[in-house]
Amino acid sequence: MRHAHHGIEAADNMTPTIVARLASPEFLADPYPVYRQLIEQTPVFWLSHANAPGGMWCIVRYDDIAFVLREAPIFKDTSRIAPPDTLTPLDRAMLQRDPPDHARLRRLASHAFTPRRVHNLMPRIEQISLDLIERIRARGEADFIADYARPLPIIVIAELLGVPFEDHDQFSTWSDQIMTGSDSVLGSEEAARQSQQAMASLIDYFTALIRKRRQYPRDDLISALIAARDASDRLSEDELLGMCILLLIAGHETTVNLIGNGLLTLLRYPDQLNLLRQRPEYLTSAIEEMLRYESPVQRSTPRFAAESFVIGGERIEAGQQISLMFGAANRDPAHFSDPDRFDITRQPNPHLGFGMGIHYCLGAPLARIEARVAFTHILERLPAIRLATDTPAWKPVTWLRGLKSLPVIV
Ligand code: HEM
């Protein structure tokens, strides 16, 4: 993940108004009118900022994104274009790799990160969730982010990996700093510096933990990944480290935001909340609709053109960076009828909340289980939950979408 600095400039095919709006507080509160305008007027645009030298192409429409992810000549491997001293172990993880290495890494991960391992975690997820919910109930009010949405996924992913419980707070902070520091539109020097420090701390932490687990394996994901490494197909030391860091940060902030954004949206649409209370069988499609309507990942991680190609009337040159605006495509009227309507019964719902193509989210089953547990408990145990503010504060990040806090009364 590259680090961010501030500053965006208008490009020829983009009006300065839209550029200004992309970095505005109104955009954070409600990016969707801007996305709609981009879909209609500038579906492929060049965004120039200090973070990606030379800028990046943003692709807004659903069908264009699908074309890029499935057919266009693109690559992800940052080691092909970035100076070696700027690379981190995260650049060696599957999310920044291309075939055939990508398939190899993903296969090794799925040996360790099995459906059985996820399934076995279920009672633990329920227990953690109930503990948090009961504490909220006893108090009568809560910041649903700090008191529920944040701790649940970090405890789950830390337990899955085999990270000692007492370290989970520290992990949450590091993960947050890395994700916030890598925003290309609203990043700051300070955020970038913190992000680098957090990465260094995570590298030290996991290096030590991997050493311990190699000596004394346990029944956890890190030990399983080490075992996968020691079979005939191996993870290099950097890949193992990168995998741990990727699983931690990919599995944390995103799930926090699915639960937070999902709850906010349900509370903003009481008719849908009531429908869900009466017909809990809609929970599955409701969670998919949350992923579409307020996507935790609004823009993809970077890709690069391997050769030049044309899309939406624009010519992308070899080597240029590309970003796919999942959050916009999920409201593309050409693909979703009445896209600004939150409809928990929507079906089919081929949203891009988990991405598309070979990098489709590896943790989607786990994220869905966590959301299912969370909303089941919220509906059953907090029947009177309501918002304590009309204007919850969004984090100053544009590639992810998540709340700073969500005050509720229960
Ligand atoms: C609601 C929660 C989640 C959301 C919205 C989400 C979203 C995404 C998206 C959009 C991508 C593709 C990024 C791109 O193509 O640029 C992705 C990839 C990935 N996610 Fe998730 N994710 C979530 C939870 C998780 C969890 C819980 C884990 C693991 C514990 C995880 C692990 C991964 C990994 C390893 C990849 C890279 C896959 C690859 O490169 O083949 N994610 N995720």
Side-chain angles (χ1 to χ4, degrees):
M1 232 164 269
R2 317 240 61 77
H3 298 302
H5 301 283
H6 24 217
I8 47 178
E9 301 156 16
D12 292 349
N13 72 339
M14 212 185 153
T15 65
T17 359
I18 294 178
V19 178
R21 285 172 70 191
L22 269 186
S24 71
E26 294 76 35
F27 180 80
L28 282 184
D30 183 9
Y32 304 107
V34 178
Y35 288 157
R36 175 62 75 92
Q37 199 178 343
L38 293 170
I39 284 176
E40 283 164 4
Q41 296 169 8
T42 4
V44 176
F45 66 89
W46 179 251
L47 183 67
S48 179
H49 58 86
N51 173 29
M56 66 181 178
W57 288 103
C58 294
I59 318 272
V60 180
R61 288 183 183 160
Y62 192 106
D63 289 341
D64 289 346
I65 290 179
F67 169 81
V68 170
L69 290 177
R70 293 203 167 124
E71 291 168 59
I74 51 171
F75 70 91
K76 276 199 126 273
D77 191 339
T78 31
S79 71
R80 285 174 63 176
I81 40 129
D85 61 332
T86 64
L87 299 176
T88 72
L90 204 48
D91 291 285
R92 307 316 294 152
M94 73 186 95
L95 187 52
Q96 290 307 329
R97 301 287 286 276
D98 299 305
D101 296 326
H102 170 265
R104 202 188 110 242
L105 289 171
R106 191 154 167 140
R107 201 174 49 242
L108 284 167
S110 39
H111 285 329
F113 192 29
T114 57
R116 191 179 58 87
R117 194 178 287 282
V118 173
H119 181 81
N120 289 349
L121 216 54
M122 187 77 168
R124 203 43 203 128
I125 299 175
E126 296 201 305
Q127 189 196 340
I128 298 163
S129 165
L130 282 182
D131 278 359
L132 296 167
I133 295 264
E134 286 313 314
R135 261 183 260 169
I136 291 174
R137 224 150 66 128
R139 274 214 316 273
E141 57 173 23
D143 167 4
F144 214 81
I145 301 299
D147 298 332
Y148 185 93
R150 180 156 289 286
L152 180 74
I154 196 72
I155 297 173
V156 170
I157 193 72
E159 289 212 0
L160 185 73
L161 280 165
V163 166
F165 180 83
E166 55 280 12
D167 297 337
H168 78 261
D169 250 0
Q170 181 61 69
F171 264 72
S172 181
T173 309
W174 286 334
S175 165
D176 198 37
Q177 287 170 339
I178 290 173
M179 297 297 254
T180 313
S182 45
D183 194 75
S184 48
V185 175
L186 287 178
S188 66
E189 298 277 356
E190 171 62 13
R193 201 185 49 74
Q194 278 190 350
S195 164
Q196 266 160 350
Q197 268 176 9
M199 177 61 78
S201 308
L202 268 178
I203 290 172
D204 287 348
Y205 186 96
F206 274 119
T207 304
L209 192 60
I210 289 167
R211 196 176 303 135
K212 271 192 215 156
R213 291 296 184 272
R214 183 166 291 135
Q215 242 181 326
Y216 305 106
R218 289 195 193 166
D219 182 22
D220 60 28
L221 191 54
I222 295 187
S223 306
L225 288 168
I226 292 170
R229 176 183 190 272
D230 290 336
S232 63
D233 201 2
R234 321 158 44 91
L235 290 174
S236 73
E237 197 63 26
D238 262 9
E239 286 170 343
L240 183 57
L241 198 51
M243 181 93 76
C244 291
I245 297 175
L246 174 63
L247 289 174
L248 173 77
I249 64 178
H252 177 36
E253 195 70 20
T254 47
T255 314
V256 175
N257 295 343
L258 170 57
I259 297 171
N261 299 358
L263 179 60
L264 174 69
T265 309
L266 279 178
L267 295 175
R268 280 180 165 173
Y269 294 91
D271 61 319
Q272 297 296 296
L273 176 58
N274 286 338
L275 177 61
L276 188 56
R277 284 195 201 287
Q278 280 153 23
R279 305 278 302 273
E281 67 272 22
Y282 282 134
L283 186 55
T284 305
S285 55
I287 291 169
E288 299 311 302
E289 182 67 343
M290 293 169 192
L291 283 157
R292 182 191 74 85
Y293 195 82
E294 288 284 16
S295 310
V297 178
Q298 296 273 308
R299 276 202 315 270
S300 73
T301 57
R303 269 119 180 125
F304 305 90
E307 296 160 27
S308 73
F309 63 94
V310 173
I311 184 142
E314 299 289 342
R315 187 184 173 81
I316 316 252
E317 299 296 342
Q320 285 182 325
Q321 187 175 325
I322 302 166
S323 176
L324 313 164
M325 299 187 71
F326 295 141
N330 282 337
R331 301 283 192 111
D332 185 341
H335 226 83
F336 297 98
S337 64
D338 207 355
D340 294 326
R341 195 183 121 107
F342 178 64
D343 173 6
I344 63 163
T345 70
R346 189 181 289 274
Q347 219 156 15
N349 189 348
H351 65 77
L352 301 179
F354 287 126
M356 180 188 262
I358 63 169
H359 294 283
Y360 182 84
C361 180
L362 180 76
L366 176 59
R368 287 184 169 121
I369 285 183
E370 290 185 55
R372 172 166 284 279
V373 170
F375 287 102
T376 303
H377 288 167
I378 293 168
L379 292 170
E380 283 173 3
R381 308 212 166 214
L382 304 175
I385 188 167
R386 60 194 164 87
L387 289 174
T389 171
D390 286 337
T391 50
W394 295 92
K395 287 191 175 178
V397 182
T398 61
W399 79 282
L400 302 173
R401 182 156 178 77
L403 293 160
K404 269 192 210 159
S405 65
L406 182 59
V408 292
I409 297 165
V410 301

